[in-house]
Amino acid sequence: MRIGLFFGSFNPVHSGHLILAAHFTNENIVDECWFIISPQNPFKEKKSLLNEQHRLNLVRAALEGETKIKASNIEFSLPRPSYTVDTLLYLREKYPQHEFYILMGSDGLANFPRWKNYEQILEMAGIFVYPRPGHTAETFTHKGIQVVEAPLIEISSTRIRKLIRAHKNYRYLVPDLVKEIIDREGYYLSSLENEAQ
């Protein structure tokens, strides 16, 4: 089975993530899409992250009823910060029957050569690059990297967090159930959410 790995902090998960995942499975680019929630991204400050279990629960809520799109906490038990190469090694060992593909925005491709052991990643998995506003996919090329057509999404988790802190309407940017949980629990009302939890 061809598994698309959608790595991210998902801080919080939003409708753009879901539209892209549905596109990849609808177009049979991959058979399943797994959201790999990163407890700690080496390129992001930990203090800006909501607790990882809360982020996982929001992704699970967003994916309720989905059969081809799944949430994974695989990185929660791996060393931190989370490096894609380590996660891939673990996944290939645990699921040798699957082929893995990283789903990456064109904005992330420019940073790819800075990833830990990026050459090894290219040996273990293919990469499907989807367009992101203001970023070209030609920043890094390799035979294992394939640019695919996908909806151009201009929703960002950063923008959603700012709207929440400003007590502004973000209803249509996240699934209803995700918004219900965020509002009920008071997530993202502080810029230092993680330190208080």
Side-chain angles (χ1 to χ4, degrees), residues 24-44:
F24 275 95
T25 54
N26 284 340
E27 297 300 313
N28 298 316
I29 299 169
V30 295
D31 299 305
E32 288 186 359
C33 180
W34 296 358
F35 281 58
I36 310 291
I37 295 93
S38 301
Q40 185 185 347
N41 182 320
F43 294 111
K44 294 186 179 178

Side-chain angles (χ1 to χ4, degrees), residues 124-165:
M124 293 191 291
I127 298 178
F128 290 124
V129 178
Y130 56 86
R132 289 283 289 150
H135 295 273
T136 175
E138 280 70 51
T139 51
F140 182 83
T141 56
H142 183 275
K143 63 180 181 182
I145 298 174
Q146 184 178 340
V147 179
V148 297
E149 289 187 14
L152 193 63
I153 306 294
E154 296 200 49
I155 304 172
S156 81
S157 297
T158 301
R159 172 72 175 150
I160 291 168
R161 293 196 303 271
K162 286 179 180 175
L163 289 171
I164 293 170
R165 284 198 294 274

